[in-house]
Amino acid sequence: MLKEGLEKQEILKILEKKLEKDFSYNSGSILGSMCTEPLDFGVEVYMKYISKNLGDPGLFLGTTALEEELVSEIGELFNGKNIIGSITTGGSEANLIAMRIAKILKKNVTKPEVVVSRSAHISFDKAADLLGIKLRKANLKDNFELDLAHFKSLINSNTCGVVGVAGTTSLGLIDPIEEIGRFVEDKDIFFHVDAAFGGFVLPFLKKLNYKIPQWDFSVKAVDSITADPHKMGLGVIPSGGFFLRDSSILQKTGFEIPYLAGGNFKHLHIVGTRPGGTVVSFWAIMKYLGINGFKRIVKKCMDNTVYLADQINEIKGIRLTTNPIINVVGITTENGESVCKIDDELRKRNYMLGKFEEFNLIRVVIMPHVQKTHLQTFVEDLSKIVKKLKI
Ligand code: 0PR
């Protein structure tokens, strides 16, 4: 550490140089990320309220009330009533909270298991590891949709929870939530839906008259939902979301910290000190955009998705893994050859996509920062690469 501090200007200059290595959202390079540039107004509000700490809610009663209002409003967007929950550090924390609840509610089960689809996010593996839960993974069919019969066969007397994904990480697919709901309807099994990505896409696609199957609290058996502001919500990082139908579960399973300056509030979080600024910011973003604002953003992403999908169909040697349902595009080879070489070549040209070796696909996520011009140059380069590699 320096003995004497530097001038602000000098520090800013050093920082600029050091951070040159980072990719920027507007460069056209970031094509495989589920995060994006937060909304300007959200950033403005966040900066203003950056010191709020919801780790001690009693000291910030206004922010606490704002969080409740925000959660309830998002709960309504997901067709729920009096939904409780909170803004988390991300989808991983929200999924961990859900898995913990599933385990605690079934105290009599000594070897708890949770059934998920093979395309469920890695955060369920992390949660299973931390909580001592056995994860039972249901197979996918050839078209990458969930094999429901296999899913059902994995449910047994040790099952404390099942998970459906609404907007899978690899392809943006929607698991059949209603059908999974039927498997657990009369059983004492917690049903969590991971819509970390899809949560701020699907409600607006539905309002844009896209055919979207029921995936949210409108399905009676659904107990909780993950949906992240810092993905398609354009919220600042870190902001995920956990939404819970039955408020008595907070009383039954919540943590308590008796000594806090602001008093004791039951909570479900894994972290202690946690940002309030992100919550205030997302409250402001929801008010500012309204349903129509989100519809416009989602529509632009979908138009670009269709554009890219059409272009991929034109390139010989590669094809779409599946027809995109939401703004996630999976690309694979026509002859089954590995996508790794294509991915390597793309990276050399600074195209950063997601690579899912298990499914032999590379993933483009058409986030709000992705412009049609980015996709045009991407397609030109991709086409050249596929030709050069003779795929
Ligand atoms: N559930 C689903 C369906 C997800 O896709 C993700 C993350 C999570 C949960 C976990 O969310 P957090 O990362 O907020 O904990 N999906 C992205 C992915 O794995 C995360 C991501 C975002 C990765 C930006 C890369 C990146 O540049 O692809």
Side-chain angles (χ1 to χ4, degrees):
M1 193 166 175
L2 298 171
K3 190 160 184 213
E4 204 62 62
L6 303 176
E7 290 295 321
K8 285 182 194 166
Q9 280 312 319
E10 197 178 340
I11 297 170
L12 289 173
K13 237 166 94 189
I14 299 171
L15 276 177
E16 197 158 325
K17 186 89 198 119
K18 282 191 180 288
L19 299 181
E20 261 173 10
K21 286 189 207 133
D22 292 1
F23 288 99
S24 70
Y25 288 110
N26 62 15
S27 65
S29 278
I30 305 189
L31 293 178
S33 168
M34 286 190 162
C35 290
T36 193
E37 198 67 60
L39 199 76
D40 284 352
F41 181 53
V43 175
E44 199 183 303
V45 174
Y46 173 66
M47 302 298 265
K48 185 161 180 198
Y49 298 107
I50 199 160
S51 61
K52 308 284 188 192
N53 170 24
L54 280 172
D56 198 344
L59 296 186
F60 300 97
L61 287 173
T63 311
T64 302
L66 217 63
E67 182 176 38
E68 277 168 23
E69 202 182 310
L70 175 62
V71 166
S72 164
E73 198 169 343
I74 297 171
E76 278 169 29
L77 184 68
F78 299 163
N79 291 305
K81 266 206 184 99
N82 305 321
I83 298 300
I84 67 151
S86 57
I87 302 304
T88 61
T89 51
S92 300
E93 189 190 2
N95 288 339
L96 176 55
I97 292 171
M99 295 270 283
R100 176 179 168 270
I101 290 174
K103 181 182 168 181
I104 294 182
L105 291 181
K106 271 218 151 172
K107 278 216 167 75
N108 53 336
V109 173
T110 50
K111 290 183 172 166
E113 296 183 8
V114 168
V115 183
V116 301
S117 138
R118 195 156 286 288
S119 56
H121 187 254
I122 192 93
S123 48
F124 291 102
D125 295 270
K126 289 186 183 174
D129 180 286
L130 290 166
L131 293 163
I133 288 174
K134 183 171 178 185
L135 215 54
R136 306 290 304 258
K137 294 192 181 181
N139 293 334
L140 304 181
K141 297 187 287 192
D142 288 344
N143 62 3
F144 294 92
E145 284 173 11
L146 176 64
D147 180 343
L148 263 179
H150 188 230
F151 191 101
K152 190 177 181 191
S153 74
L154 297 177
I155 298 174
N156 61 46
S157 57
N158 287 332
T159 308
C160 56
V162 293
V163 174
V165 188
T168 58
T169 307
S170 48
L171 284 166
L173 300 180
I174 306 168
D175 286 341
I177 303 300
E178 278 185 283
E179 284 82 348
I180 297 174
R182 260 176 241 131
F183 298 159
V184 295
E185 228 160 35
D186 305 316
K187 298 192 179 77
D188 203 8
I189 293 175
F190 194 78
F191 184 10
H192 177 66
V193 172
D194 180 4
F197 186 76
F200 291 98
V201 182
L202 299 174
F204 307 113
L205 279 183
K206 190 151 195 191
K207 290 181 199 299
L208 285 161
N209 296 324
Y210 283 69
K211 261 192 99 176
I212 300 294
Q214 279 182 297
W215 64 274
D216 57 13
F217 289 117
S218 59
V219 178
K220 273 209 188 90
V222 169
D223 292 302
S224 64
I225 293 175
T226 290
D228 294 348
H230 70 200
K231 294 191 169 70
M232 279 299 288
L234 280 84
V236 289
I237 298 171
S239 47
F242 178 70
F243 305 91
L244 182 63
R245 191 195 291 273
D246 176 0
S247 59
S248 75
I249 289 177
L250 172 64
Q251 293 315 314
K252 283 185 225 156
T253 67
F255 294 106
E256 289 188 65
I257 312 179
Y259 60 80
L260 292 180
N264 189 357
F265 284 68
K266 279 211 167 182
H267 65 281
L268 293 165
H269 289 276
I270 311 302
V271 296
T273 303
R274 67 182 180 99
T278 54
V279 173
V280 185
S281 167
F282 197 59
W283 184 95
I285 288 175
M286 295 262 299
K287 289 284 172 257
Y288 181 72
L289 288 178
I291 286 173
N292 287 341
F294 274 109
K295 270 168 71 179
R296 280 192 290 274
I297 290 163
V298 168
K299 173 82 171 48
K300 179 193 143 189
C301 294
M302 284 312 288
D303 288 348
N304 281 335
T305 300
V306 171
Y307 169 77
L308 178 64
D310 288 346
Q311 295 296 310
I312 298 299
N313 277 330
E314 297 296 315
I315 302 177
K316 260 189 131 163
I318 55 169
R319 63 174 176 87
L320 295 170
T321 310
T322 53
N323 264 332
I325 309 286
I326 58 174
N327 47 330
V328 180
V329 178
I331 304 169
T332 188
T333 55
E334 262 174 343
N335 61 6
E337 206 178 307
S338 161
V339 292
C340 290
K341 278 193 230 156
I342 304 178
D343 186 64
D344 287 345
E345 290 294 323
L346 284 170
R347 275 174 206 281
K348 280 188 207 156
R349 291 165 176 78
N350 282 343
Y351 291 114
M352 314 310 275
L353 275 65
K355 181 178 66 176
F356 294 76
E357 283 195 62
E358 189 188 357
F359 305 136
N360 195 35
L361 67 90
I362 45 177
R363 175 195 75 175
V364 185
V365 190
I366 316 289
M367 295 300 291
H369 65 263
V370 176
Q371 306 298 335
K372 194 166 171 191
T373 49
H374 296 157
L375 295 175
Q376 280 162 341
T377 33
F378 168 68
V379 166
E380 276 168 30
D381 284 337
L382 177 62
S383 182
K384 281 184 208 152
I385 289 169
V386 172
K387 239 190 221 139
K388 183 183 131 186
L389 292 173
K390 298 196 174 70
I391 284 172

